[in-house]
Amino acid sequence: MKYAENILDLVGNTPLVKITKLNPNPKVTILAKLEYFNPGGSMKDRMAVAMVEDAEKKGLLKKGGIIVEPTSGNTGAGLAMIAAIRGYTLIAVMTEKVSLEKELVLRAYGAEVVRTRMDVDHTHPEYYVNVAKKIAQEKDAFMPDQYNNPANPLAYYQTAGPEIWRDTEGKITHFVATIGTGGSISGIAQYLKEKNPKVQIIGVDADGSMLHHYFNHTDGEPHPYKVEGPGKDFIPNSLAIQYIDKVMVVNDAHAFATARELAREEGILAGGSSGMALFAAKQVAKQLPKDATIVVLLPDSGKGYVSTFYNDRWMRENKFL
């Protein structure tokens, strides 16, 4: 009989699928890595498992323990899935910007959800990361801290990077991914650069984030944006800038329009950050000669956003339609 011992055994080995209708340059191959095929619905399953297992080995997380983590939803879902299997309690801290669907998914797993303000920066005590730290301290809980945990990029270096190299038979020339905690793009980029230093790594940042300003050494002020997940107003330690060749900026309107096109033209229902990444990949493809192979990372499913940018009423209210 062939079966998994538990759902965590199914994390990883997500497929690549060719983008055809939305490819602006038929001479170039664009391949989307569908991370929503992970059992928790996003690429964050990879690092959630890695961070918990690392904590268990180090004795930081014991049987019946409490996990507290700031999240935009996907890391929380991965941790909630693990907590359900291994008997931990999860408290997920997320801002009011995060969709209701994501909160309900976490509660379905049995997690507790704490909502925080979204109009404060990382220096404010009510910033969601700072709220999580305070709760973890008060409850003597373990906080994986995806923004600074070395197990985050290592998870992608050990899994997603090798998968992309294997499935493209080493023919990948460009890798495009959004930047959030920095773990996924850094781990994958490091692996690909070690295999072939000529592979170009393109990071994608949200318009309103500060990461592209840090990368390009330019001045700017953070401002609100609607895409969930990518972008930060600080540099996470999980981000290894030295492996990134270029950072592109994509705004909400382009991100949401591209994600909606992806669903209607390619049958791929993905999140707003996926729309960001694909929009950037399309711009890169226009400038490349034949035989180039672009792999674009699509972080999560669009099912967590049906009340937001897949909803025409929400799009009109936010002046995107």
Side-chain angles (χ1 to χ4, degrees):
M1 295 186 292
K2 184 179 180 180
Y3 60 89
E5 285 295 331
N6 62 58
I7 198 72
L8 302 182
D9 290 342
L10 302 180
V11 173
N13 284 307
T14 56
L16 291 176
V17 63
K18 187 176 182 179
I19 299 297
T20 53
K21 292 183 180 179
L22 297 186
N23 184 350
N25 183 357
K27 297 179 181 179
V28 171
T29 300
I30 301 179
L31 302 174
K33 188 159 177 64
L34 305 185
E35 284 293 280
Y36 65 72
F37 272 65
N38 282 302
S42 83
M43 66 181 183
K44 300 292 190 176
D45 289 358
R46 297 177 187 269
M47 59 107 143
V49 172
M51 292 189 301
V52 168
E53 290 183 346
D54 179 66
E56 289 172 339
K57 290 176 183 176
K58 293 177 179 177
L60 300 174
L61 187 56
K62 296 180 173 61
K63 187 175 180 179
I66 301 173
I67 302 172
V68 180
E69 184 69 354
T71 176
S72 59
N74 289 328
T75 300
L79 290 171
M81 183 173 61
I82 300 166
I85 292 171
R86 299 192 177 173
Y88 301 124
T89 297
L90 173 68
I91 302 174
V93 182
M94 54 173 61
T95 70
E96 292 294 340
K97 180 170 92 169
V98 178
S99 70
L100 177 61
E101 293 95 314
K102 289 184 179 180
E103 176 182 336
L104 296 178
V105 165
L106 288 171
R107 294 191 185 281
Y109 278 116
E112 179 184 338
V113 176
V114 175
R115 290 281 196 165
T116 67
R117 292 168 58 181
M118 57 176 287
D119 60 342
V120 293
D121 67 16
H122 68 280
T123 63
H124 196 282
E126 293 185 56
Y127 186 65
Y128 74 127
V129 176
N130 297 332
V131 171
K133 288 179 180 178
K134 182 180 179 182
I135 293 172
Q137 186 175 23
E138 290 174 348
K139 293 185 176 291
D140 192 25
F142 169 66
M143 180 170 155
D145 190 7
Q146 57 186 310
Y147 302 105
N148 300 294
N149 194 324
N152 177 357
L154 182 61
Y156 298 98
Y157 175 85
Q158 293 177 334
T159 63
E163 290 169 23
I164 291 170
W165 185 258
R166 176 197 69 201
D167 292 346
T168 61
E169 297 180 337
K171 295 176 183 176
I172 180 175
T173 59
H174 296 74
F175 176 66
V176 181
T178 54
I179 308 174
T181 68
S184 57
I185 191 171
S186 299
I188 294 170
Q190 181 182 355
Y191 184 88
L192 295 176
K193 289 284 191 182
E194 288 177 0
K195 286 294 185 180
N196 179 6
K198 293 183 180 179
V199 175
Q200 291 294 291
I201 309 298
I202 296 97
V204 187
D205 195 23
D207 184 5
S209 164
M210 292 300 292
L211 294 176
H212 63 279
H213 290 295
Y214 293 132
F215 182 89
N216 295 314
H217 304 292
T218 56
D219 294 327
E221 290 293 329
H223 60 79
Y225 53 92
K226 295 292 186 179
V227 172
E228 297 176 27
K232 289 290 170 288
D233 59 355
F234 63 95
I235 298 184
N237 288 327
S238 295
L239 175 62
I241 290 178
Q242 67 269 27
Y243 297 116
I244 301 175
D245 297 293
K246 180 182 180 180
V247 174
M248 299 175 66
V249 183
V250 176
N251 64 31
D252 287 335
H254 286 144
F256 297 150
T258 305
R260 287 164 65 105
E261 286 178 342
L262 184 62
R264 296 177 181 185
E265 299 293 330
E266 305 278 354
I268 298 172
L269 188 69
S273 58
S274 297
M276 275 181 64
L278 183 58
F279 181 86
K282 289 171 63 178
Q283 308 315 304
V284 172
K286 292 175 183 177
Q287 305 168 18
L288 297 180
K290 64 179 181 179
D291 299 329
T293 298
I294 302 171
V295 173
V296 54
L297 190 72
L298 305 190
D300 68 353
S301 166
K303 292 180 180 179
Y305 309 93
V306 291
S307 68
T308 57
F309 71 86
Y310 280 114
N311 182 333
D312 286 352
R313 177 187 294 177
W314 185 93
M315 289 286 283
R316 290 191 185 96
E317 289 174 351
N318 288 278
K319 298 180 171 56
F320 293 123
L321 281 181

